[in-house]
Amino acid sequence: MEEQGYAAAGMVRQLLSFSRKGLPDVKEIDLVPFVRELLKFARVSVPESIQLHGLFEDEASFVVRCDAVQLQQSLLNLIVNATHAIAERGDVTGEIALRLHSSEAPDHLIVNDSWAYGEKPEMWVCLSLEDNGCGMDQDTQRKIFEPFFTTKSSSVGTGLGLAMVQGYIEMLRGVVDVTSSPGKGTRFDIYLPLSSNKVSIQEKERDEVRLGNGQCILVADDDDRVRRALCDILESANYNTIEACNGEEAMALFTEHVERLDMAILDIVMPKASGSDVAAHIRASHQEFPIAFMTGYDKENALALEVNSSHLLIRKPWDVSELNAVLIKAFI
């Protein structure tokens, strides 16, 4: 009875988390920085014995319309399932790969008698998540998207995860395909329609960011593309920037340039020292120094990492209104 109670509570938490108790926050996002940030958060919970890596088309940009928090939760659900499948197999060095690539229309998944959205998108992007876990037989594959179907014990799984993943992807007019073999692993292919507006989000923000007066900002992020893009935007708006690629370097650069620095924007999850560690280092000598954290789309992740709620917060990829709000609060 106690196990059933825990399982029921887990279902309720999962449903509330997925619904977010409100309307979806749908906007255009570029999947490249989204997936890079997702992988950083996922690595915190994936066992060290499992290799987790992302594969991207060079310099590609994939803009889709979605609620980024719900897409994040869907992909994290698949990653958790992959870790369980690898643990169940037990006789292999675990590998999980998340690949982002352009795709032809998945005609075998959107045949006329199952496509309910009228005109089919012309352009698609595919998110492929592949593991080398225990895999599934054909009978299990046919059932995995059924609500409450699970191969896990009641203390581990509710059977709601994959049904919710499929339901959310279908809300985006996307489709999900699965390929699996017992003892060899599983691959989920999520096909999403690309936005017809493929103009760089950063180009739009570059023109609209609040103009500065030469203030100097320390920007710390281990993702070179994300860090460089933010610095380019800030510098085009008359700010100066100093870049750090990890937490240890950020602390050293703050100490070296403290007299000219006016603000720090810190990624929460970085190698060698976290954003929280860097903030504590700064606060030890400069209590009122303006600090903003950069995080993934789900603010609950930031809270889970014990980020002080008094700090400013920017979600990635950054929204110009949030970035402007942080700059205004830092420099008023």
Side-chain angles (χ1 to χ4, degrees):
M1 181 65 70
E2 184 177 13
E3 287 185 357
Q4 291 176 342
Y6 283 129
M11 290 183 197
V12 172
R13 284 195 301 270
Q14 200 168 6
L15 287 166
L16 290 175
S17 174
F18 204 87
S19 68
R20 300 176 64 223
K21 302 181 183 178
L23 296 174
D25 181 17
V26 176
K27 63 176 67 174
E28 286 190 345
I29 68 164
D30 186 342
L31 287 179
V32 173
F34 170 85
V35 171
R36 290 182 186 277
E37 186 68 12
L38 174 86
L39 289 169
K40 290 173 62 177
F41 276 117
R43 284 192 180 98
V44 175
S45 57
V46 171
E48 293 183 0
S49 58
I50 298 176
Q51 299 178 20
L52 175 65
H53 50 92
L55 303 171
F56 305 89
E57 291 185 4
D58 291 341
E59 303 304 323
S61 177
F62 301 108
V63 178
V64 299
R65 285 186 57 79
C66 70
D67 180 322
V69 173
Q70 291 191 3
L71 182 58
Q72 181 192 58
Q73 290 172 338
S74 297
L75 293 173
L76 288 175
N77 191 302
L78 294 178
I79 291 173
V80 169
N81 285 350
T83 63
H84 291 164
I86 290 169
E88 185 173 337
R89 181 172 177 180
D91 61 347
V92 67
T93 300
E95 291 187 20
I96 302 173
L98 183 55
R99 182 184 176 210
L100 185 61
H101 57 98
S102 55
S103 172
E104 298 292 330
D107 290 331
H108 66 292
L109 298 175
I110 54 175
V111 292
N112 291 333
D113 60 351
S114 64
W115 186 253
Y117 307 111
E119 185 177 352
K120 299 173 185 177
E122 295 181 2
M123 302 176 292
W124 295 82
V125 60
C126 182
L127 279 158
S128 296
L129 192 137
E130 187 170 7
D131 67 68
N132 62 342
C134 61
M136 297 177 284
D137 58 29
Q138 291 294 320
D139 184 56
T140 301
Q141 290 180 54
R142 284 191 290 268
K143 297 177 181 178
I144 57 172
F145 295 116
E146 296 177 6
F148 302 106
F149 174 79
T150 181
T151 59
K152 304 172 187 176
S153 68
S154 60
S155 62
V156 176
T158 63
L160 287 171
L162 289 177
M164 288 183 170
V165 169
Q166 185 185 52
Y168 178 61
I169 297 305
E170 289 180 349
M171 284 174 56
L172 301 178
R173 300 192 175 189
V175 285
V176 184
D177 196 14
V178 59
T179 304
S180 187
S181 298
K184 295 184 178 179
T186 299
R187 188 182 78 243
F188 284 90
D189 292 319
I190 297 175
Y191 297 90
L192 296 174
L194 281 172
S195 171
S196 58
N197 177 21
K198 294 195 69 176
V199 176
S200 169
I201 297 172
Q202 293 172 3
E203 288 178 7
K204 179 180 177 181
E205 292 180 343
R206 192 186 304 273
D207 294 333
E208 298 178 356
V209 71
R210 178 183 182 271
L211 290 177
N213 294 308
Q215 295 97 330
C216 189
I217 301 175
L218 173 63
V219 179
D221 194 309
D222 61 308
D223 188 318
D224 292 341
R225 291 181 60 180
V226 171
R227 185 184 69 251
R228 187 64 254 163
L230 179 55
C231 288
D232 285 347
I233 289 172
L234 290 170
E235 288 169 6
S236 71
N238 200 32
Y239 297 92
N240 296 306
T241 63
I242 296 175
E243 298 183 45
C245 64
N246 59 60
E248 186 179 273
E249 184 179 25
M251 288 188 280
L253 287 173
F254 175 81
T255 301
E256 180 181 354
H257 299 284
V258 62
E259 296 303 324
R260 58 181 290 225
L261 283 168
D262 299 293
M263 180 187 183
I265 300 179
L266 311 172
D267 189 27
I268 291 176
V269 182
M270 291 187 290
K272 298 189 178 180
S274 69
S276 298
D277 294 332
V278 179
H281 173 79
I282 293 172
R283 292 285 193 235
S285 58
H286 293 73
Q287 194 68 30
E288 303 301 322
F289 189 85
I291 296 174
F293 284 112
M294 289 190 292
T295 181
Y297 297 89
D298 191 345
K299 290 187 178 181
E300 292 179 3
N301 281 322
L303 297 177
L305 290 166
E306 298 182 351
V307 173
N308 189 321
S309 60
S310 67
H311 290 303
L312 306 174
L313 192 64
I314 304 172
R315 293 177 296 177
K316 291 197 285 186
W318 45 87
D319 179 278
V320 65
S321 61
E322 284 189 352
L323 182 57
N324 281 339
V326 163
L327 294 172
I328 290 169
K329 288 180 181 178
F331 298 128
I332 57 173

